[in-house]
Amino acid sequence: NAGEIVTLGAGSREGRFQVGAQIKATGNVRLRPNGRIRLLDQNGQEVALYTVTEGNPIFPGSMRDYAASGPDKAPPPGRYKLSADISSGNFQMKSETEILVRANGDVERVVKKEVLKP
């Protein structure tokens, strides 16, 4: 069993705040992912919990988007971290990404710029 969380994301659609993950099966066995995605504030405190329930399998070499169920209401504007813990059988996948929630509920992914030292 092998796979990876390619992207984590969040956004508002039709007034509903949604969180999800794109997962790729990198091994030779199909994955049946399930787990959770936590929305954390800047202090690392959990603001909301979203659940990824086992859905259609991901076949080797392919990717699938999984929507997580949880609170529909967007959090207050600010910076947050999405932290995912997703498994398929005994195989564990983890990923984190930072997001910025705007006052209108729109979400931007925060891309960290690496500073290269000489």
Side-chain angles (χ1 to χ4, degrees):
N1 249 6
E4 66 176 301
I5 299 170
V6 178
T7 55
L8 283 177
S12 291
R13 202 161 119 204
E14 297 172 10
R16 290 182 54 226
F17 187 74
Q18 297 175 313
V19 170
Q22 185 179 60
I23 301 171
K24 181 176 186 176
T26 57
N28 58 3
V29 177
R30 70 177 175 221
L31 299 179
R32 292 187 176 275
N34 64 74
R36 63 189 188 163
I37 301 173
R38 298 182 312 145
L39 182 68
L40 307 173
D41 66 15
Q42 288 191 299
N43 298 321
Q45 297 298 307
E46 187 175 294
V47 174
L49 178 64
Y50 298 87
T51 306
V52 176
T53 53
E54 189 175 297
N56 292 325
I58 309 170
F59 293 96
S62 62
M63 285 190 285
R64 187 178 295 273
D65 292 330
Y66 287 86
S69 56
D72 284 350
K73 191 174 182 304
R79 287 174 92 103
Y80 296 91
K81 185 182 284 185
L82 290 173
S83 177
D85 252 317
I86 297 174
S87 61
S88 178
N90 294 330
F91 181 71
Q92 301 287 321
M93 295 171 276
K94 294 181 185 296
S95 182
E96 288 187 341
T97 192
E98 287 188 37
I99 61 171
L100 179 65
V101 178
R102 301 232 177 259
N104 64 0
D106 285 354
V107 177
E108 273 182 42
R109 201 133 124 234
V110 176
V111 179
K112 289 191 172 82
K113 290 185 170 58
E114 290 187 32
V115 177
L116 300 176
K117 294 185 173 140

